[in-house]
Amino acid sequence: MPATWTCSEEYRPRRTTFDDVRELEGWRLKVYSIVYGTSVMEWTVYDDVWPLIRSALPQPAVTPCRPGVGFFIAHTGRGVHYAVLGWWDNENELPIRLFVREFGDKVIAHERDVYVAQVLSKPDQPDLEGYLYRHFEVSG
């Protein structure tokens, strides 16, 4: 007998917005955001994905078979942030890269940023107390 599968909630369309066209290393990318439920789009969560996007895009951006255009989707899902990159290549091909990070990683990113600012950036006088008293909090 097959296992029983159930859905945790009824599907509801996500709010999808075209946000901008961003230029990056000769590429022009249409930028979209998709947000689950009543969540607010937090663009800063996606700041550290841009170096990954930059390294994934082939160079040069424009060739006889590559027009240098594509898209980026920042999707705040249910418990997970998705970053989706797609670009047009070889006339009609659409390579896609997907980057995923669970919400909990925000704490790790915060801790890293505070440690760099309070300790590593002050080698002559590291501020361990300053590090210990800068906390990450989410209300709600």
Side-chain angles (χ1 to χ4, degrees):
M1 175 169 220
T4 303
W5 179 80
T6 59
C7 236
S8 61
E9 66 181 63
E10 180 181 339
Y11 172 79
R12 289 183 182 80
R14 273 63 167 159
R15 186 173 66 251
T16 303
T17 306
F18 168 74
D19 295 289
D20 201 1
V21 172
R22 181 167 179 169
E23 295 189 22
L24 182 69
E25 304 289 327
W27 286 88
R28 291 180 298 153
L29 303 174
K30 297 193 302 185
V31 177
Y32 293 91
S33 59
I34 301 175
V35 181
Y36 167 77
T38 60
S39 299
V40 175
M41 187 62 192
E42 297 181 49
W43 282 105
T44 57
V45 170
Y46 296 90
D47 285 349
D48 61 350
V49 79
W50 288 104
L52 299 172
I53 298 298
R54 185 177 284 112
S55 68
L57 289 167
Q59 288 297 324
V62 178
T63 70
C65 293
R66 183 185 310 132
V69 297
F71 59 88
F72 172 76
I73 303 168
H75 181 180
T76 300
R78 187 177 68 179
V80 177
H81 295 287
Y82 300 93
V84 181
L85 169 67
W87 68 91
W88 293 103
D89 209 340
N90 293 322
E91 292 186 23
N92 65 350
E93 295 177 6
L94 181 61
I96 294 178
R97 300 294 181 271
L98 174 65
F99 305 90
V100 180
R101 176 176 43 197
E102 294 183 18
F103 283 176
D105 288 350
K106 290 166 64 174
V107 174
I108 294 169
H110 166 81
E111 289 298 319
R112 181 232 177 248
D113 291 346
V114 172
Y115 188 76
V116 168
Q118 299 299 108
V119 179
L120 296 181
S121 295
K122 303 175 180 182
D124 295 334
Q125 244 181 342
D127 184 3
L128 295 176
E129 296 301 309
Y131 165 75
L132 291 172
Y133 288 97
R134 288 183 60 190
H135 309 117
F136 179 83
E137 293 183 30
V138 174
S139 60

